[in-house]
Amino acid sequence: MRVEIIPCLQDNYSYLIIDETNNTACVVDPSEALPIIDFISNKNINLKYILNTHHHFDHIGGNKDLKKKYNLSVVGFKGDKYRIPEIDILVEDNEIWKADNFEAKIFHIPGHTKGHISFFFHKDKFVFTGDTLFSLGCGRIFEGTYQEMFNSLNKIKNLPKDTKIYCGHEYTLQNSKFCIKHDSNNLNLKKKISKINNKIKNNLPTVPSTMEEELECNIFLRANNLESFSKLRDLKDNF
Ligand code: ZN
Ligand code: FE
């Protein structure tokens, strides 16, 4: 399996997961259809599934047009069946979704929205975290509670350390400024920041990150109780 990063809108990332044995593919959170169509046109890629982490427009905006153009199925959380356009396959917490050679464990991770999920490709060790876990940050709490978001991040924290993390937005540089402000002696964070700066300078995405790096550097994962997590989340909202 190969993951291609497709920048969309201002700072969104959609991801194409390509099975190189048969050229079938899934797209995660297509914000818009055109960049996806541009990427796969003239390539021998059979786009079969859309995987949506949550219902926000910048994650589902391409569903309708992509479904019209390709003969594909839309996979999303059962509880969001009325909010995810064109949804076909309903998945729930802890289910293993399997289709063709794709296999992902579904985690329900509410907080940003009530129906947010992540797709953990356990055999390949990559996870798509949408707007729940970002590199060096976490999503804003729109529909859920601090407790829900804290629990959701704790679920993700238990993934293997070498899991690659593909998140929904390129927010890493801005997030890094918040982390270093509140964790100024963290040497791993300093190392990560110089890596990030290099990538940004060369116009490269800062994703994927890894679970190990996030555990060492992401201040929201380092918060070990609900109180300190909530405090950080409030500070970040006004950063
Ligand atoms: Zn969102
Ligand atoms: Fe988003």
Side-chain angles (χ1 to χ4, degrees):
M1 298 280 170
R2 181 174 106 234
V3 178
E4 294 283 352
I5 302 170
I6 305 179
C8 290
L9 304 175
Q10 284 284 89
D11 50 30
N12 275 83
Y13 285 132
S14 297
Y15 299 103
L16 210 59
I17 309 162
I18 303 162
D19 178 354
E20 290 161 303
T21 65
N22 58 13
N23 294 315
T24 58
C26 309
V27 64
V28 180
D29 284 355
S31 316
E32 43 182 347
L34 218 55
I36 316 298
I37 295 168
D38 280 349
F39 186 92
I40 61 181
S41 65
N42 305 319
K43 293 190 187 80
N44 174 27
I45 292 174
N46 179 13
L47 185 59
K48 292 190 75 174
Y49 306 95
I50 290 175
L51 313 181
N52 289 130
T53 62
H54 65 298
H55 75 286
H56 282 160
F57 78 96
D58 59 318
H59 298 257
I60 52 86
N63 281 19
K64 200 171 174 217
D65 289 348
L66 289 173
K67 192 168 172 176
K68 209 184 281 172
K69 187 165 170 78
Y70 305 99
N71 182 25
L72 53 73
S73 304
V74 177
V75 183
F77 184 57
K78 199 178 170 185
D80 271 348
K81 67 175 172 178
Y82 300 113
R83 303 205 289 186
I84 293 178
E86 311 290 334
I87 194 166
D88 299 294
I89 298 168
L90 309 177
V91 293
E92 50 193 322
D93 193 25
N94 289 320
E95 170 181 344
I96 293 183
W97 170 73
K98 275 189 201 181
D100 295 280
N101 296 324
F102 303 111
E103 192 170 327
K105 182 149 193 207
I106 310 300
F107 293 108
H108 180 217
I109 46 171
H112 180 70
T113 66
K114 281 187 192 308
H116 201 299
I117 56 173
S118 66
F119 294 86
F120 175 47
F121 283 70
H122 49 113
K123 289 183 173 166
D124 314 279
K125 291 205 196 152
F126 39 72
V127 65
F128 299 90
T129 57
D131 288 357
T132 298
L133 175 66
F134 295 122
S135 181
L136 302 185
C138 75
R140 280 176 189 264
I141 298 166
F142 284 129
E143 297 179 355
T145 62
Y146 292 90
Q147 180 78 65
E148 281 176 319
M149 188 55 133
F150 184 64
N151 294 348
S152 294
L153 292 174
N154 279 333
K155 274 195 204 177
I156 300 173
K157 259 165 115 166
N158 289 321
L159 297 179
K161 285 194 168 178
D162 55 344
T163 303
K164 287 196 174 105
I165 298 170
Y166 292 91
C167 56
H169 290 265
E170 180 59 84
Y171 290 159
T172 315
L173 184 63
Q174 185 64 9
N175 288 343
S176 75
K177 293 176 184 165
F178 181 78
C179 284
I180 197 72
K181 183 177 176 192
H182 296 281
D183 195 7
S184 54
N185 295 318
N186 185 333
L187 288 179
N188 290 316
L189 176 59
K190 287 181 184 170
K191 254 186 255 165
K192 171 101 176 150
I193 290 175
S194 81
K195 251 165 80 176
I196 291 163
N197 284 328
N198 261 321
K199 286 189 176 159
I200 302 268
K201 206 165 60 195
N202 292 302
N203 261 318
L204 295 170
T206 63
V207 291
S209 184
T210 66
M211 202 62 250
E212 182 170 30
E213 287 180 335
E214 293 305 315
L215 287 171
E216 287 169 344
C217 304
N218 185 327
I219 199 162
F220 294 97
L221 296 188
R222 289 163 64 73
N224 44 28
N225 59 57
L226 177 62
E227 201 193 337
S228 54
F229 169 75
S230 305
K231 205 175 140 193
L232 285 168
R233 191 53 265 176
D234 284 343
L235 287 168
K236 183 74 199 299
D237 283 345
N238 300 302
F239 181 66

